[in-house]
Amino acid sequence: MLKIEHVAKRYGRGRQRKGVLEDINLSIGKGDLVGLVGESGSGKSTLARLIMRLETMDEGEISFSRSGNFYDSCQIVFQNATAALNPTWTVRASLLEPLRLMKGDREGYIKEMLSLVSLSDVHLDRLPSELSGGERQRVNLLRSILVKPELLICDEIVSSLDRLIQKEIVELLKRLNEEMGMAILFISHDLKVVNYLCDRVYVMKDGRIVEDSVKQDGTFVFSHPYAQRLFE
Amino acid sequence: MKSNKIFIFWCALFGLIVLITVFANLFSTYPVNEMNMDKVYMAPGDGHILGTDHLGRDVFTRLLHGGKVTLTVAFGSVLLSLVIGVMYGSVSGYVGGWVDSAMMRLLEALISIPSLIFVLAFQAVMQGGMWGMTFIIGVTGWFTTARIVRSEFIRLKEADYVKMARMFGTPIWRIITGHLLRNSVTPLFVVTIFNLAGAVFIEVSLSFLGIGIPPSIPSWGNMLYNAQNDLLIGAWWIGLFPGLLIFFTVLSINFIGEMLKDSRL
């Protein structure tokens, strides 16, 4: 469904020009649960922005097999739920935004989907500032899945949440994957969560993918020393 | 707590000034242009609470009606400058790139010329009345608003919720009004408050110089202009009361603006 081939991204000009991503190759099939791990600054979020066409790449190719509007098939959930929601809009207004072109009962659809992320009607008239961190992230997540994308990119979405809410969100992602067949690219530096959620994982270091591994018997097996050290 | 009380005091004072000028007809004791040559230069008291002027007109009545004119010019011009400033700043900040650079260089060129020069040039051509003055102050007072809107847009357009809106295919007008402008309301409100004080000051200054509101229409500036000669013969009340009202109006607006600005920071 998503194929990334020899992608490179550089910032700056002249001698200051610095490579952030080099020779990235990655693929995600329908319904896949793929993890992307690496330390801070390894280029994970930059890659997510390139996939979402929020930035342009310098080399390589990213192909997405679905026709039609790209953003109807591919969505992203940002790490900072507070920054991802307009502070002056109620939850209802934020959730109605992606459904602008939807025909039929949009309110009814939202109310139906709210239970999926363990929220209720009372949350609809609240501002983001009136929600807890976990509720904000659930609203953020719900907004992205309302269009029923085939691929959802989760960019460190549980990093700033406590363990209990992390678990709730991860279970929710698992359920979305199973019930809706939604492929998920889960970007994180939390290896425990990736180990639990994903079936396949890519390890990034200094802008390169150093290894990828498929889960076998509940664990990932790595040959690259950096990946081994990371998952120890 | 203390600053809250001070804020309420200045808001109440400004509100009171606006209220008595808006409902000038209710509070005024004489028709605004009624002359009585038997009662010229009467000191405050004896049926004329703030005295009379050189034509025997009631100063209190003219003060209320003059305030209505001055504040109408100020509010009208601020509204006009707000519309122009928001449109100019929105385009510059949202589009960015060379369009932003070109628009900002033009704006800097306009800012470098004192606005009084623009106002005088416009007034020489238009020789406008009350609405003419409103237009002139409005089209020469939007520069700061445009800069504020532009800088807010540049900051906000990189926000995650704006990126999400673009991905959801939200139309540009909706992104500008719903996301960018709506989250720029506080700084925009503060700059508009300061523009209001500036507009009152410009109207008063021009009318005082005799090139503002036509003499037939009472305004605080016109009253001060007429009071110049009256002061020489000892009729202090004709200049003092409009002067005090102008002083307290500009002061209250500035205090409100300053306190709003500080509370934002």
Side-chain angles (χ1 to χ4, degrees), chain B residues 65-78:
Chain B
H65 285 275
K68 201 194 294 191
V69 171
T70 300
L71 291 180
T72 304
V73 170
F75 276 109
S77 62
V78 160

Side-chain angles (χ1 to χ4, degrees), chain B residues 42-186:
Chain B
M42 272 183 69
D46 195 23
H48 294 279
I49 191 169
L50 299 180
T52 60
D53 66 5
H54 65 292
L55 294 171
R57 295 175 298 192
D58 184 55
V59 171
F60 178 66
T61 302
R62 289 185 71 76
L63 203 57
L64 298 186
H65 285 275
K68 201 194 294 191
V69 171
T70 300
L71 291 180
T72 304
V73 170
F75 276 109
S77 62
V78 160
L79 195 69
L80 183 62
S81 66
L82 182 70
V83 171
I84 300 172
V86 164
M87 280 164 55
Y88 194 93
S90 300
V91 173
S92 180
Y94 189 79
V95 176
W98 67 266
V99 175
D100 175 44
S101 296
M103 289 178 86
M104 279 303 108
R105 294 301 83 73
L106 176 67
L107 188 63
E108 280 159 16
L110 291 171
I111 285 174
S112 67
I113 304 166
S115 59
L116 201 62
I117 306 262
F118 281 119
V119 175
L120 289 174
F122 267 112
Q123 186 67 331
V125 176
M126 290 181 62
Q127 296 178 343
M130 191 176 89
W131 296 114
M133 275 296 290
T134 307
F135 176 78
I136 290 165
I137 299 173
V139 296
T140 55
W142 54 269
F143 307 145
T144 317
T145 309
R147 283 181 95 159
I148 296 285
V149 171
R150 180 219 174 227
S151 64
E152 284 297 306
F153 271 37
I154 287 174
R155 182 176 67 84
L156 291 169
K157 75 177 181 182
E158 294 306 320
D160 285 349
Y161 58 82
V162 177
K163 286 180 191 164
M164 293 299 294
R166 285 199 202 104
M167 282 189 270
F168 292 135
T170 306
I172 289 176
W173 69 265
R174 181 82 179 123
I175 292 178
I176 287 177
T177 53
H179 288 299
L180 303 176
L181 214 48
R182 197 154 166 190
N183 285 291
S184 310
V185 163
T186 314

